Amino acid sequence: MKQELVIAPSILSLDFSRMSEQLKELAESKAAWIHFDVMDGHFVPNLTFGPDILKGVKKALHQVMDVHLMVTNPVQYADVFMDAGADIITFHVEALSNMEEVVALCRHIRSRDVKAGVSVKPNTSIDCILPYLEEMDLVLVMSVEPGFGGQKFQEQQLEKVRILRAKIDERNLQVRIEIDGGIQQDTGKLAIEAGCDALVAGSYVFKHNVKEAVETLLCQQ
Ligand code: DX5
Ligand code: ZN
């Protein structure tokens, strides 16, 4: 069943010349989660944040820390970011060799009382994870190629959301469907209609008034 919609602003697009001001705006917003994109310059051609930044952001905010690992070695870095305070760890199926490894990492994350999320890039089929939905708390559908904010939403990715929503509801599971990339007012609405209950939004939130942008997205349901 769909859960209450959450908005997860991605701090990748935060204006770092006004960091404390922007963190304050996030703290006062209706965003329930903060999306924290970790890139290692190898799994994706960009570098972002390490665990100390997560610790700092966590001190300034009360929200759930939704960590998206875009790294080649998620087994190593899941623990690093759980130690730093992650509440959700999402990693990519493409970074591991097979579904046994994916399931093992989900179980390890859950054994530490952290929510486990699994993500697929736009060119990866969702089929491989469908038999294992019980093992995870969240599926993150990438609606852009991971690596950079500000890309165009790939509407065809919504088919994966529809398939997931049908399977999750059929099996009566509490697995969230999150979408990441190109989310703004209109694409957010389409994603919610397809079955998402968590929206990541980077450039849309930080190019506008943070609090208003979060509320606009919440109103699309
Ligand atoms: C892309 C990241 C996203 C990114 C989304 O690799 O995973 O979380 O911040 O940015 P927008 O919302 O600008 O597409
Ligand atoms: Zn992300």
Side-chain angles (χ1 to χ4, degrees):
M1 217 180 63
K2 232 184 190 176
Q3 299 176 51
E4 195 185 344
L5 179 67
V6 295
I7 308 302
S10 166
I11 61 158
L12 186 65
S13 301
L14 185 143
D15 178 353
F16 288 94
S17 68
R18 301 194 296 122
M19 188 165 174
S20 53
E21 206 178 308
Q22 295 242 284
L23 288 176
K24 191 163 176 284
E25 287 166 19
L26 282 174
E28 290 167 356
S29 77
K30 290 191 176 146
W33 295 1
I34 301 299
H35 189 77
F36 192 88
D37 286 306
V38 178
M39 304 185 189
D40 65 354
H42 190 263
F43 184 77
V44 289
N46 195 6
L47 279 169
T48 56
F49 322 110
D52 288 345
I53 307 281
L54 177 62
K55 285 184 200 161
V57 168
K58 206 178 155 79
K59 268 192 208 159
L61 299 174
H62 57 86
Q63 281 102 338
V64 166
M65 291 296 146
D66 174 33
V67 174
H68 177 193
L69 295 180
M70 285 159 277
V71 301
T72 301
N73 189 348
V75 175
Q76 178 183 352
Y77 287 105
D79 277 309
V80 169
F81 284 91
M82 285 191 281
D83 290 345
D87 299 295
I88 304 169
I89 293 275
T90 297
F91 61 94
H92 275 264
V93 287
E94 301 87 357
L96 295 175
S97 314
N98 52 53
M99 284 312 292
E100 284 68 43
E101 289 184 12
V102 170
V103 168
L105 185 51
C106 285
R107 289 184 181 172
H108 174 66
I109 293 167
R110 286 174 140 188
S111 77
R112 293 194 56 176
D113 272 337
V114 171
K115 303 259 187 241
V118 172
S119 185
V120 286
K121 297 205 276 186
N123 290 332
T124 304
S125 160
I126 200 77
D127 294 352
C128 62
I129 68 167
L130 297 178
Y132 304 99
L133 290 171
E134 282 80 359
E135 301 284 349
M136 51 202 78
D137 300 292
L138 178 150
V139 179
L140 174 61
V141 174
M142 289 306 302
S143 40
V144 299
E145 205 51 54
F148 299 91
Q151 302 178 70
K152 190 177 177 295
F153 183 75
Q154 298 183 18
E155 200 171 326
Q156 69 274 26
Q157 301 302 325
L158 291 177
E159 192 49 31
K160 292 179 189 171
V161 175
R162 291 186 198 103
I163 293 168
L164 281 164
R165 174 52 58 210
K167 295 286 176 202
I168 289 167
D169 290 354
E170 197 179 289
R171 281 144 67 181
N172 208 15
L173 301 173
Q174 292 277 321
V175 182
R176 277 195 179 272
I177 309 176
E178 186 177 38
I179 194 155
D180 185 3
I183 292 295
Q184 41 187 288
Q185 197 172 340
D186 53 346
T187 53
K189 190 175 175 56
L190 293 176
I192 294 164
E193 281 167 5
C196 289
D197 49 13
L199 304 181
V200 176
S203 39
Y204 174 73
V205 166
F206 292 101
K207 270 190 192 150
H208 294 90
N209 175 291
V210 170
K211 288 183 247 178
E212 283 172 17
V214 170
E215 280 174 42
T216 303
L217 289 175
L218 277 172
C219 285
Q220 301 310 310
Q221 59 188 328

